[in-house]
Amino acid sequence: GEDVEQSLFLSVREGDSSVINCTYTDSSSTYLYWYKQEPGAGLQLLTYIFSNMDMKQDQRLTVLLNKKDKHLSLRIADTQTGDSAIYFCAEDDGNNRLAFGKGNQVVVIP
Amino acid sequence: DTEVTQTPKHLVMGMTNKKSLKCEQHMGHRAMYWYKQKAKKPPELMFVYSYEKLSINESVPSRFSPECPNSSLLNLHLHALQPEDSALYLCASSPEPGGGQGAGTGELFFGEGSRLTVL
């Protein structure tokens, strides 16, 4: 089965860039995802990348995928206080199931 | 309407109570999901309904009983819960059981969750 690993905590100053990393060990997923969860809220799909892509840019978000190393990253440019949240990477197993990483809490310092 | 609405937002119940969590979406989505999330942990899948039929039960104890009365509604009936069942229960939907349009299986739309405390 899929096993998705993430680091736990990141503190970043407002206006700086933040990078969140994720590794996965077993995947034939077509897509990989980044979800954001603000305090007291549900998860929100931020962005996703097709597995045959290396990079995807979406406004302040840049997703990098290294399939050889099974490494996925999310870069947030010009981090804002509203970006404070827990970020989960996820991959689908092709059977209507998402395997989520442990999550990475990002705290933006004004 | 692009929302998944969950009620109640908070629920406190005793171990002998019977209660229900409700979820509603009016996006025409044909797949609906229940997830359980403990603090600081990722969501864990409990159930999936596809076209109003239960398609996945992740070996959830029978004290949790899902119900899909129609394509817009999803309920989770709770009975004889344990304190360790206290968690945030998240409902989600997707346009098709295989996911969204162009984003694959994992394009889920989540509600804000129902925070359950079992005393």
Side-chain angles (χ1 to χ4, degrees):
Chain A
E2 287 77 17
D3 186 13
V4 185
E5 295 289 332
Q6 282 185 261
S7 52
L8 295 178
F9 183 84
L10 176 67
S11 173
V12 61
R13 291 201 175 277
E14 191 175 14
D16 288 350
S17 294
S18 46
V19 179
I20 307 163
N21 297 299
C22 170
T23 58
Y24 53 100
T25 58
D26 178 17
S27 174
S28 58
S29 300
T30 305
Y31 295 94
L32 293 125
Y33 307 88
W34 282 103
Y35 276 85
K36 175 185 181 183
Q37 186 174 31
E38 295 182 30
L43 279 74
Q44 173 195 1
L45 179 63
L46 264 187
T47 188
Y48 61 93
I49 187 167
F50 191 50
S51 60
N52 70 354
M53 297 170 66
D54 298 323
M55 184 182 84
K56 178 180 179 181
Q57 186 144 5
D58 184 359
Q59 299 182 339
R60 292 189 297 118
L61 306 177
T62 303
V63 180
L64 295 177
L65 176 59
N66 181 330
K67 284 170 55 181
K68 175 176 170 289
D69 295 337
K70 292 190 170 60
H71 184 263
L72 181 73
S73 68
L74 174 69
R75 178 178 181 269
I76 306 173
D78 187 24
T79 310
Q80 307 294 307
T81 55
D83 295 325
S84 292
I86 299 177
Y87 292 82
F88 294 98
C89 62
E91 57 176 347
D92 69 81
D93 71 353
N95 290 301
N96 291 352
R97 289 177 178 85
L98 276 183
F100 286 96
K102 292 183 173 63
N104 189 310
Q105 182 167 7
V106 174
V107 174
V108 181
I109 304 165
Chain B
D1 185 354
T2 58
E3 284 190 348
V4 175
T5 303
Q6 289 189 243
T7 56
K9 290 194 184 305
H10 299 276
L11 177 63
V12 179
M13 59 186 291
M15 289 190 284
T16 58
N17 292 158
K18 284 186 182 180
K19 296 285 185 183
S20 297
L21 306 180
K22 297 185 184 301
C23 176
E24 192 167 358
Q25 57 87 14
H26 296 287
M27 295 179 279
H29 288 179
R30 305 317 301 267
M32 296 186 76
Y33 310 74
W34 279 115
Y35 282 84
K36 173 183 177 180
Q37 187 180 27
K38 299 285 253 184
K40 306 289 189 188
K41 299 288 187 185
E44 300 170 7
L45 182 65
M46 300 174 72
F47 303 104
V48 181
Y49 272 82
S50 300
Y51 292 92
E52 301 165 47
K53 293 193 187 312
L54 183 65
S55 60
I56 295 175
N57 176 342
E58 294 285 55
S59 301
V60 179
S62 60
R63 57 186 185 268
F64 295 91
S65 175
E67 179 198 17
C68 189
N70 60 56
S71 60
S72 298
L73 295 175
L74 185 66
N75 298 323
L76 186 63
H77 302 298
L78 314 171
H79 174 54
L81 295 194
Q82 304 297 310
E84 59 264 29
D85 297 321
S86 297
L88 182 68
Y89 288 84
L90 293 164
C91 174
S93 69
S94 62
E96 295 291 333
Q101 304 298 320
T105 306
E107 187 179 14
L108 302 183
F109 294 74
F110 282 85
E112 301 257 312
S114 293
R115 186 161 299 283
L116 173 68
T117 302
V118 182
L119 301 177

